[in-house]
Amino acid sequence: MKRDRRLLIAMLFFAISLVAGLVQVAIVNLYIYAAVMGQAHWDCFIDFFGLEPITKPGTMCFDYCAPPLPLLAGGVAGAAFFAGWIMVAVAWWRPRR
């Protein structure tokens, strides 16, 4: 009995989704750690992810001073998970004979 390759593609999409989700969790973890530890860690976070600093060097910030949270890995995880579900649905509703 030959297996449907669409299910293998769906499994690959789910694996990509898992890895991208874990990367996003690590990014959020670093983001929260930088928020808790203060300004010096925000600078490390900004340098590591290549973001634009909120304030200029030597100035103080009295408002929302956090850099934006990089969400690209989360978007990849969501898109790959959705694509995996689509592949499973197509394989379910249109089986090959």
Side-chain angles (χ1 to χ4, degrees):
M1 179 179 191
K2 188 175 180 183
R3 304 242 184 242
D4 193 349
R5 290 184 188 213
R6 294 176 293 182
L7 295 176
L8 177 63
I9 293 170
M11 288 173 53
L12 290 174
F13 277 130
F14 286 132
I16 291 168
S17 175
L18 175 69
V19 170
L22 290 174
V23 169
Q24 186 64 45
V25 165
I27 291 170
V28 170
N29 186 22
L30 289 172
Y31 190 85
I32 292 171
Y33 179 77
V36 169
M37 297 308 281
Q39 182 64 34
H41 292 278
W42 275 131
D43 294 338
C44 293
F45 185 85
I46 289 169
D47 291 340
F48 185 75
F49 289 105
L51 302 171
E52 291 292 323
I54 299 299
T55 60
K56 306 237 185 300
T59 60
M60 295 295 293
C61 179
F62 296 107
D63 197 8
Y64 183 75
C65 302
L69 177 62
L71 294 174
L72 179 63
V76 169
F81 191 79
F82 182 72
W85 270 111
I86 293 296
M87 291 301 293
V88 168
V90 168
W92 179 270
W93 285 318
R94 295 185 186 160
R96 293 189 180 163
R97 297 175 196 242

